[in-house]
Amino acid sequence: MGEQEQRIKRSFSMLIVAYYFSRCGQRVTGRRSAPPANLGVKYWFDAYDLLFDAIGDGRTLDPYHNSIY
């Protein structure tokens, strides 16, 4: 790995959330998938933000976004 590259450590909780999102996202014809309907949000970034307190691992919002987008 180069000097500029850093591995982002992801918690087990974050992996569980990623798996849930990948399996339960809504399929939308002619568009990309949408977040699971039971979350009540339209966009993926809103779904991620709902879980910030649970899986943020003490990061501020910007590093958290960078680790999941």
Side-chain angles (χ1 to χ4, degrees), residues 5-68:
E5 296 176 13
Q6 266 186 339
R7 293 201 124 192
I8 298 169
K9 185 175 178 176
R10 290 174 171 83
S11 68
F12 183 72
S13 298
M14 186 177 273
L15 295 174
I16 295 298
V17 167
Y19 179 77
Y20 168 71
F21 281 169
S22 72
R23 301 297 292 167
C24 299
Q26 299 179 72
R27 304 276 180 224
V28 182
T29 305
R31 293 187 0 209
R32 291 184 174 184
S33 66
N38 63 337
L39 295 178
V41 296
K42 186 175 180 179
Y43 301 105
W44 281 109
F45 55 83
D46 292 327
Y48 298 134
D49 286 353
L50 287 174
L51 301 168
F52 174 68
D53 289 336
I55 64 171
D57 291 330
R59 289 172 283 197
T60 59
L61 203 52
D62 283 340
Y64 170 73
H65 284 159
N66 291 336
S67 70
I68 57 177

